[in-house]
Each structure stands twice: as structure tokens, then as C-alpha cells.
Amino acid sequence: MKFANKNIFAAMLLGMSAFAACTPESDKKSLGPIPAGNFSVTPVANDGNRFVVSNTTTGAFMSVWAASNGGASTKVTDTLTFGRKGTWDINLTAYTQGGAAITKQQVTVAADIPPTQIVGFYDLTKPKADTQWLPLKMGAVGTTITYTPAGVNFSKPANTASNGGIYRKVKINPGRDYYLQVFARGQMVKQAGDSAWFEAYIGKDLPLNNFNYATNLVAGFNTNSACGLVAMNGDVVPVACTGAAAGKASLVKFTDAADFYIVIKAGSNSSANGLGAAGITVDSVKLLEQIR
């Protein structure tokens, strides 16, 4: 038994000697200094909103670009787009054997890229509007919705409360800004004991009949507020009382890339006709997409 213990002890000493002898020389080497970060910026010909950036940092094996408008890339060379006029930062983190080299340059953009209208069927005066903007009954009694050559009219059924609307699907990119435009005509009326509304929503929830749509109000009017009694004749979003775009020049932002639904609804909570004798007529609904 003592013999076995001596053999084990000898084996341990041998192993320790071997480990010491095999210690890599690399642990004595330095990673070296971090080089200065460098990159080139070249405007795209005949396009004042796009710039080609290229990492020229010595020894770089990875590039991480981050622009102050939200643009990003991990390519050695790429094209960055700036949709808005102004001065923008371009930040580069270049990874090298010595570590991360960080540097920044600025570019100046003289003009905005014009926004793009993304609602596929925005003119509600055209034929087949009833197949492109589907009607919704949102209460026990739906608001009367009539498709006419002048647009889609929202009016109040006689002697009853009502709620209803129309909707259409759009695809949203969270990296861009959006501006809603709702062109409408009419004037709601303040009635004793009555509250009437005209509202625009852009939400992810699928609109369903017999359910009140209330996801992400963008622009709203109510006869309980002074602005709900204004005469409507044009784009009404800039003068909305409530909603995400109220007081923000019609600007709407989103955080999800998904299918959304534009919902236009109107109604009243009593038998009084707060929507006015002629109701409210919507002739077009536009959603402008702006590159940042």
C-alpha cells in the first residue's frame, strides 16, 4: 500500500513539471496599442441624403456603425441614409487586436427626403371604397356609414346612441416617422346630456364587429371639448383635441414592425344628434412615411 502511495506522489510531481514546461509563451506577449480609429465618408453622387462610409482603421476586423438618426451597420463599407435635413453624427467602433478604436465624424444634410404616402387606397371618393375600407359596427347600434362619390359619411341613426367606423390595414416600420392626414367635412354639435366623437386610431389589434375599437388613439374630437365643435373642412388631425398626434404636427411614432390598422370612427352616447344634421364626411385618409 505504501508502494502505491509513492507511485501516485511521483505521478503528481511529474504532471506538475509537465504543466510548467508547457506554459505558453503567449502569456508574455502584449496585445499592442489601440490604433487610431479612422473612416472615410463620401457623399453619394446626386443624392444629398446618402453617404458611403468605409472603415480604414489599421488592423480592424469588425466595424460597428451608429448614426445619430438611428442608422446602424456592421459592414466594413456601407451606405447610410439621412432623411431629415440637419447635422448628423456618424460613430464608428472599430475592433482591433489591441482593442476598440472609437471615432466620430459629422455630415450635413441640406433637405428632407419627401415622405411617401403608404395607404394603398386613400381616396374614399373613388368606386369600391366599401371594399377597401371595411365598415365596423362597434355598439348595440352602429353609426350609419354611407359610401358616396363625395366620400364616406358618418351619421347618427334617429333616436338612439351609436358607434361605428371603417378600417384598413397598413404596414409599419418602427425606424421611420409617420404623419396621419384625415380630410373631413362637417361640424359636430353640443347637445344637452350628449357626448359625440370623431376619432382616428392606428393600432395592432384586429378590428372586429360588436367591439369598440380603442387601441392607440392618434387624433380625437369630442363635443365635450371646445375643439370638438370646430367646423371641419380639410385635414383635421392638426387641430385634434386628443391623441398621440395632437399638438405634434400630426407626427406618430411606433415601436413595432407589424401590420397595423387605421380605424376612423364616430358616434354619440345618447339619442341626441351630436354628429350634426349632415354628419361627417371623410374624403381621404393618408399616412405619410418619413425616413429619419
Side-chain angles (χ1 to χ4, degrees):
M1 198 70 173
K2 291 181 180 179
F3 179 76
N5 287 339
K6 289 180 179 179
N7 286 343
I8 293 173
F9 181 70
M12 290 175 62
L13 288 175
L14 181 61
M16 292 172 65
S17 299
F19 180 78
C22 293
T23 300
E25 296 181 2
S26 59
D27 65 352
K28 298 180 181 179
K29 291 183 178 179
S30 171
L31 292 178
I34 300 175
N38 288 293
F39 66 92
S40 62
V41 180
T42 306
V44 173
N46 303 315
D47 190 335
N49 297 87
R50 292 177 172 84
F51 298 83
V52 176
V53 293
S54 184
N55 184 0
T56 57
T57 304
T58 301
F61 59 82
M62 182 183 296
S63 306
V64 178
W65 303 94
S68 56
N69 70 333
S73 175
T74 56
K75 296 181 178 179
V76 175
T77 299
D78 207 348
T79 301
L80 300 180
T81 300
F82 299 87
R84 300 294 185 87
K85 65 181 178 181
T87 300
W88 302 94
D89 294 340
I90 301 176
N91 300 280
L92 169 66
T93 302
Y95 291 91
T96 72
Q97 184 177 351
I102 301 174
T103 187
K104 177 179 78 173
Q105 293 189 47
Q106 290 185 324
V107 295
T108 298
V109 175
D112 292 348
I113 295 177
T116 302
Q117 199 292 116
I118 66 167
V119 178
F121 192 102
Y122 68 88
D123 187 348
L124 277 62
T125 67
K126 290 185 176 181
K128 298 183 179 181
D130 58 332
T131 66
Q132 301 297 317
W133 285 85
L134 301 180
L136 285 169
K137 174 175 169 283
M138 298 186 194
V141 176
T143 298
T144 300
I145 296 173
T146 308
Y147 297 85
T148 77
V152 178
N153 180 261
F154 298 78
S155 61
K156 181 85 163 41
N159 303 318
T160 182
S162 73
N163 191 18
I166 58 175
Y167 74 96
R168 181 178 173 84
K169 183 168 68 176
V170 291
K171 187 170 288 294
I172 294 298
N173 180 341
R176 298 185 177 181
D177 293 332
Y178 293 87
Y179 297 87
L180 179 66
Q181 296 179 337
V182 179
F183 292 85
R185 301 183 307 281
Q187 185 168 10
M188 295 194 294
V189 181
K190 179 63 178 176
Q191 303 278 9
D194 179 61
S195 176
W197 55 86
F198 178 73
E199 298 170 335
Y201 294 80
I202 308 178
K204 287 195 298 183
D205 292 345
L206 175 66
L208 298 171
N209 277 312
N210 302 313
F211 287 91
N212 180 37
Y213 200 89
T215 303
N216 195 25
L217 175 65
V218 174
F221 298 83
N222 193 293
T223 53
N224 288 332
S225 301
C227 81
L229 304 177
V230 300
M232 301 178 185
N233 188 20
D235 180 14
V236 299
V237 177
V239 294
C241 304
T242 58
K248 297 180 180 178
S250 305
L251 173 64
V252 192
K253 294 187 177 183
F254 301 92
T255 58
D256 299 313
D259 289 334
F260 280 68
Y261 298 89
I262 302 176
V263 177
I264 310 297
K265 78 175 186 181
S268 177
N269 67 358
S270 77
S271 60
N273 188 7
L275 293 181
I280 299 173
T281 299
V282 178
D283 58 50
S284 68
V285 179
K286 299 178 180 181
L287 188 61
L288 306 181
E289 183 180 76
Q290 173 72 61
I291 298 175
R292 291 176 184 167

